[in-house]
Amino acid sequence: NAGVMQNPRHLVRRRGQEARLRCSPMKGHSHVYWYRQLPEEGLKFMVYLQKENIIDESGMPKERFSAEFPKEGPSILRIQQVVRGDSAAYFCASSQDGRGNGYTFGSGTRLTVV
Amino acid sequence: DAKTTQPPSMDCAEGRAANLPCNHSTISGNEYVYWYRQIHSQGPQYIIHGLKNNETNEMASLIITEDRKSSTLILPHATLRDTAVYYCIVRVAALGTASKLTFGTGTRLQVTL
């Protein structure tokens, strides 16, 4: 079992470009969660998805950010028109059920906006 | 989810037990105590969780006070590889929106020779 796979590990974007972060959950896990960690801060919840559905997006910025988890393929966190303040580590976690027991995190994608 | 309070940093000598405290005085009856750790910019790693009984696994022990207002994570024989930020999180283990984890600032544990 390869665990939660995130790619790319590092992503550099110029201001105004789009960033796409991918997350493949553990085998058998149908619940995906995205978190953002700004430098020297704790992780902040962004969004919780179950296959094809957004369950909780209370932590997502209202503009420029979107997430999806299609029936086939990885979950995608998309950031449009990136700004320097979007520079952070973005972590994905998956779980087998909605209770969140057995959360497993990926290694993260480090986004740098120049 | 109930708020938790942890010391910002702690030191521990290698081979000794590391005792990491956490206060959660507003915890509700259906909320669990979870511990995660984050080793230098890696993804958080689950350590242990419990409701009211003490718990032990291959990584650590969790001691929860009888009134459940505080808990202690114990790493019995700390090694240099245990140097990390340790997060105490209190949450309801239920379906749906309660599944998100609310991370505080955690305790930065430094294990030294």
Side-chain angles (χ1 to χ4, degrees), chain A residues 45-90:
Chain A
F45 168 79
M46 299 182 75
V47 63
Y48 161 33
L49 310 101
Q50 192 180 0
K51 281 290 186 181
E52 300 185 272
N53 293 307
I54 295 175
I55 307 300
D56 180 358
E57 57 181 348
S58 58
M60 285 281 270
K62 293 290 185 282
E63 297 178 348
R64 302 188 297 108
F65 285 72
S66 62
E68 63 177 10
F69 188 17
K71 187 176 181 181
E72 300 292 336
S75 175
I76 305 290
L77 180 67
R78 182 184 178 202
I79 311 172
Q80 294 178 292
Q81 300 173 343
V82 296
V83 301
R84 288 232 172 99
D86 297 332
S87 295
Y90 292 82

Coordinates of all heavy atoms in Angstrom, one line a residue, chain A residues 45-90:
Chain A
F45 N -7.5 23.5 8.2 CA -8.4 22.7 7.3 C -8.9 23.6 6.2 O -9.2 24.7 6.4 CB -9.5 22.2 8.2 CG -10.7 21.6 7.4 CD1 -10.6 20.4 6.8 CD2 -11.8 22.4 7.1 CE1 -11.7 19.8 6.1 CE2 -12.9 21.9 6.4 CZ -12.8 20.6 5.9
M46 N -9.0 23.0 5.0 CA -9.5 23.7 3.9 C -10.8 23.1 3.4 O -11.9 23.7 3.4 CB -8.5 23.7 2.7 CG -7.2 24.4 3.0 SD -6.1 24.4 1.6 CE -6.9 25.7 0.6
V47 N -10.8 21.8 3.0 CA -11.9 21.2 2.4 C -11.9 19.7 2.6 O -10.9 19.0 2.8 CB -12.0 21.5 0.9 CG1 -10.8 20.9 0.2 CG2 -13.3 21.0 0.2
Y48 N -13.1 19.1 2.7 CA -13.3 17.7 2.9 C -14.2 17.2 1.7 O -15.3 17.7 1.5 CB -13.9 17.4 4.2 CG -14.6 16.1 4.5 CD1 -14.2 14.9 3.9 CD2 -15.7 16.0 5.4 CE1 -14.8 13.7 4.2 CE2 -16.3 14.8 5.6 CZ -15.9 13.7 5.0 OH -16.5 12.5 5.3
L49 N -13.7 16.2 1.0 CA -14.5 15.6 -0.1 C -14.7 14.1 0.0 O -13.8 13.4 0.5 CB -13.8 15.9 -1.4 CG -13.3 17.3 -1.7 CD1 -11.8 17.5 -1.4 CD2 -13.5 17.7 -3.1
Q50 N -15.8 13.7 -0.5 CA -16.0 12.3 -0.7 C -16.3 12.1 -2.2 O -16.7 13.1 -2.8 CB -17.2 11.8 0.1 CG -17.3 10.3 0.2 CD -18.5 9.8 1.0 OE1 -19.3 10.7 1.5 NE2 -18.7 8.5 1.1
K51 N -16.0 11.0 -2.7 CA -16.1 10.8 -4.2 C -17.2 11.6 -4.8 O -18.4 11.5 -4.5 CB -16.3 9.3 -4.5 CG -15.1 8.5 -4.5 CD -14.1 8.8 -5.6 CE -12.9 7.8 -5.6 NZ -11.9 8.2 -6.6
E52 N -16.8 12.6 -5.7 CA -17.7 13.4 -6.5 C -18.5 14.4 -5.6 O -19.3 15.2 -6.2 CB -18.6 12.6 -7.3 CG -17.9 11.7 -8.3 CD -18.9 11.0 -9.2 OE1 -19.4 9.9 -8.8 OE2 -19.2 11.5 -10.3
N53 N -18.3 14.5 -4.3 CA -19.0 15.4 -3.5 C -18.1 16.2 -2.6 O -17.1 15.7 -2.0 CB -20.0 14.7 -2.6 CG -21.1 14.0 -3.5 OD1 -21.8 14.7 -4.3 ND2 -21.3 12.7 -3.3
I54 N -18.4 17.5 -2.4 CA -17.8 18.3 -1.4 C -18.6 18.3 -0.2 O -19.8 18.7 -0.2 CB -17.6 19.8 -1.9 CG1 -16.7 19.8 -3.1 CG2 -17.1 20.6 -0.8 CD1 -16.5 21.2 -3.7
I55 N -18.1 17.8 0.9 CA -18.8 17.6 2.1 C -18.7 18.9 3.0 O -19.7 19.3 3.6 CB -18.3 16.4 2.9 CG1 -18.3 15.1 2.1 CG2 -19.2 16.2 4.2 CD1 -19.7 14.8 1.5
D56 N -17.5 19.4 3.1 CA -17.3 20.6 4.0 C -16.2 21.4 3.3 O -15.1 20.9 3.2 CB -16.9 20.1 5.4 CG -16.6 21.2 6.4 OD1 -16.7 22.4 6.0 OD2 -16.3 20.9 7.5
E57 N -16.5 22.6 2.9 CA -15.5 23.5 2.4 C -15.4 24.8 3.2 O -15.1 25.9 2.7 CB -15.9 23.8 0.9 CG -17.2 24.4 0.7 CD -17.5 24.7 -0.8 OE1 -16.6 24.7 -1.6 OE2 -18.7 25.0 -1.1
S58 N -15.7 24.7 4.5 CA -15.7 25.8 5.3 C -14.3 26.5 5.5 O -14.2 27.7 5.8 CB -16.2 25.4 6.7 OG -15.4 24.4 7.3
G59 N -13.2 25.8 5.1 CA -11.9 26.4 5.3 C -11.4 26.9 3.9 O -10.2 27.4 3.9
M60 N -12.1 26.8 2.9 CA -11.6 27.3 1.6 C -11.8 28.8 1.4 O -12.9 29.3 1.7 CB -12.4 26.5 0.5 CG -12.0 25.1 0.3 SD -10.5 24.9 -0.6 CE -11.2 24.8 -2.3
P61 N -10.8 29.4 0.9 CA -11.0 30.9 0.6 C -12.1 31.0 -0.5 O -12.3 30.1 -1.3 CB -9.7 31.3 0.0 CG -8.7 30.3 0.6 CD -9.4 29.0 0.7
K62 N -12.9 32.0 -0.4 CA -14.1 32.2 -1.3 C -13.7 32.3 -2.7 O -14.5 31.9 -3.6 CB -14.9 33.4 -0.8 CG -15.5 33.2 0.6 CD -16.6 32.2 0.6 CE -17.3 32.1 1.9 NZ -16.6 31.3 2.9
E63 N -12.6 32.8 -3.0 CA -12.2 33.1 -4.4 C -10.9 32.3 -4.8 O -10.1 32.1 -3.9 CB -12.1 34.6 -4.7 CG -13.3 35.4 -4.4 CD -13.1 36.9 -4.7 OE1 -12.0 37.3 -4.7 OE2 -14.1 37.6 -4.7
R64 N -10.8 32.0 -6.0 CA -9.6 31.4 -6.6 C -9.3 30.0 -6.3 O -8.5 29.3 -7.0 CB -8.4 32.3 -6.3 CG -8.5 33.7 -6.8 CD -7.1 34.5 -6.6 NE -6.7 34.5 -5.2 CZ -5.7 33.8 -4.7 NH1 -5.0 33.0 -5.5 NH2 -5.4 33.9 -3.4
F65 N -9.9 29.5 -5.2 CA -9.6 28.1 -4.8 C -10.8 27.2 -5.1 O -11.9 27.6 -4.9 CB -9.3 28.0 -3.3 CG -8.0 28.6 -2.9 CD1 -7.7 29.9 -2.9 CD2 -7.0 27.7 -2.4 CE1 -6.5 30.4 -2.5 CE2 -5.8 28.2 -2.0 CZ -5.5 29.5 -2.1
S66 N -10.5 26.0 -5.6 CA -11.5 25.0 -5.8 C -10.9 23.6 -5.6 O -9.7 23.4 -5.7 CB -12.1 25.2 -7.2 OG -11.1 24.9 -8.2
A67 N -11.8 22.7 -5.3 CA -11.3 21.3 -5.2 C -12.3 20.3 -5.8 O -13.5 20.6 -5.8 CB -11.1 21.0 -3.7
E68 N -11.8 19.2 -6.2 CA -12.7 18.2 -6.8 C -12.1 16.8 -6.4 O -10.9 16.7 -6.2 CB -12.8 18.4 -8.3 CG -11.6 18.2 -9.1 CD -11.8 18.3 -10.6 OE1 -12.9 18.7 -11.0 OE2 -10.9 18.0 -11.3
F69 N -12.9 15.8 -6.5 CA -12.5 14.5 -6.2 C -13.4 13.6 -7.2 O -14.5 13.1 -6.8 CB -12.7 14.1 -4.8 CG -12.1 12.7 -4.4 CD1 -11.2 12.1 -5.2 CD2 -12.5 12.1 -3.2 CE1 -10.7 10.8 -4.9 CE2 -12.0 10.9 -2.9 CZ -11.1 10.2 -3.7
P70 N -13.0 13.5 -8.4 CA -13.8 12.8 -9.4 C -13.9 11.3 -9.1 O -13.2 10.7 -8.3 CB -13.1 13.1 -10.7 CG -11.7 13.3 -10.3 CD -11.7 13.9 -9.0
K71 N -14.9 10.7 -9.8 CA -15.1 9.3 -9.6 C -13.9 8.5 -10.0 O -13.6 7.5 -9.3 CB -16.3 8.8 -10.5 CG -16.8 7.4 -10.3 CD -18.0 7.1 -11.2 CE -18.4 5.7 -11.0 NZ -19.6 5.4 -11.9
E72 N -13.2 8.9 -11.0 CA -11.9 8.3 -11.4 C -10.8 9.3 -11.3 O -10.9 10.4 -11.7 CB -12.0 7.7 -12.8 CG -13.1 6.7 -13.1 CD -12.9 5.4 -12.3 OE1 -11.7 5.1 -12.1 OE2 -13.8 4.7 -12.1
G73 N -9.7 8.9 -10.7 CA -8.5 9.7 -10.7 C -8.4 10.4 -9.3 O -9.2 10.2 -8.4
P74 N -7.3 11.2 -9.2 CA -7.0 11.8 -7.9 C -7.8 13.0 -7.6 O -8.5 13.5 -8.4 CB -5.5 12.3 -8.1 CG -5.4 12.6 -9.6 CD -6.3 11.6 -10.3
S75 N -7.7 13.4 -6.4 CA -8.4 14.7 -6.0 C -7.4 15.8 -6.4 O -6.2 15.7 -6.4 CB -8.5 14.7 -4.5 OG -9.0 16.0 -4.0
I76 N -8.1 16.9 -6.8 CA -7.3 18.1 -7.3 C -7.7 19.3 -6.5 O -8.8 19.6 -6.3 CB -7.6 18.4 -8.8 CG1 -7.4 17.1 -9.7 CG2 -6.8 19.6 -9.3 CD1 -6.0 16.8 -9.9
L77 N -6.6 20.0 -6.0 CA -6.8 21.3 -5.4 C -6.3 22.3 -6.5 O -5.1 22.2 -6.9 CB -6.1 21.4 -4.1 CG -6.2 22.8 -3.4 CD1 -7.6 23.0 -2.9 CD2 -5.2 22.9 -2.2
R78 N -7.1 23.2 -6.9 CA -6.8 24.2 -7.9 C -6.8 25.6 -7.4 O -7.8 26.0 -6.7 CB -7.8 24.0 -9.0 CG -7.6 24.9 -10.3 CD -8.7 24.7 -11.2 NE -8.6 25.6 -12.4 CZ -9.6 25.9 -13.2 NH1 -10.8 25.5 -12.9 NH2 -9.4 26.7 -14.2
I79 N -5.7 26.3 -7.6 CA -5.6 27.7 -7.2 C -5.4 28.5 -8.4 O -4.4 28.4 -9.2 CB -4.4 27.9 -6.2 CG1 -4.5 26.9 -5.1 CG2 -4.5 29.3 -5.6 CD1 -3.2 26.9 -4.2
Q80 N -6.3 29.4 -8.7 CA -6.2 30.2 -9.9 C -5.6 31.6 -9.5 O -5.7 32.0 -8.4 CB -7.6 30.5 -10.5 CG -8.3 29.2 -11.0 CD -9.7 29.5 -11.5 OE1 -10.6 29.8 -10.8 NE2 -9.9 29.5 -12.8
Q81 N -4.9 32.1 -10.5 CA -4.3 33.5 -10.3 C -3.5 33.6 -9.0 O -3.9 34.4 -8.1 CB -5.4 34.5 -10.4 CG -6.1 34.5 -11.8 CD -7.3 35.5 -11.8 OE1 -7.8 35.9 -10.8 NE2 -7.7 35.8 -13.0
V82 N -2.6 32.7 -8.8 CA -1.9 32.7 -7.5 C -1.2 34.0 -7.1 O -0.8 34.7 -8.0 CB -0.8 31.5 -7.5 CG1 -1.5 30.2 -7.7 CG2 0.3 31.7 -8.6
V83 N -1.2 34.2 -5.8 CA -0.5 35.4 -5.3 C 0.6 34.9 -4.3 O 0.6 33.7 -3.9 CB -1.5 36.3 -4.6 CG1 -2.6 36.8 -5.6 CG2 -2.2 35.6 -3.4
R84 N 1.5 35.8 -3.9 CA 2.6 35.4 -3.0 C 2.0 34.8 -1.7 O 2.6 33.9 -1.1 CB 3.4 36.6 -2.7 CG 4.3 37.0 -3.9 CD 5.7 37.2 -3.6 NE 6.5 37.4 -4.8 CZ 7.0 38.6 -5.1 NH1 6.7 39.6 -4.4 NH2 7.7 38.7 -6.2
G85 N 0.9 35.3 -1.2 CA 0.4 34.7 0.0 C -0.1 33.3 -0.1 O -0.4 32.7 1.0
D86 N -0.2 32.8 -1.3 CA -0.6 31.3 -1.4 C 0.6 30.4 -1.2 O 0.4 29.2 -1.1 CB -1.2 31.1 -2.9 CG -2.4 31.9 -3.1 OD1 -3.2 32.2 -2.2 OD2 -2.7 32.2 -4.3
S87 N 1.8 30.9 -1.1 CA 3.0 30.1 -0.9 C 2.8 29.4 0.5 O 2.6 30.1 1.5 CB 4.2 31.0 -0.8 OG 4.5 31.6 -2.1
A88 N 2.8 28.1 0.4 CA 2.6 27.3 1.6 C 2.8 25.8 1.3 O 3.0 25.5 0.1 CB 1.1 27.5 2.1
A89 N 2.7 25.0 2.3 CA 2.7 23.6 2.1 C 1.2 23.1 2.2 O 0.5 23.5 3.1 CB 3.5 22.9 3.2
Y90 N 0.8 22.3 1.2 CA -0.5 21.9 1.1 C -0.5 20.4 1.3 O 0.1 19.6 0.6 CB -1.1 22.2 -0.3 CG -1.4 23.7 -0.4 CD1 -0.3 24.5 -0.8 CD2 -2.6 24.3 -0.2 CE1 -0.5 25.9 -1.0 CE2 -2.8 25.6 -0.3 CZ -1.7 26.4 -0.7 OH -1.9 27.8 -0.8

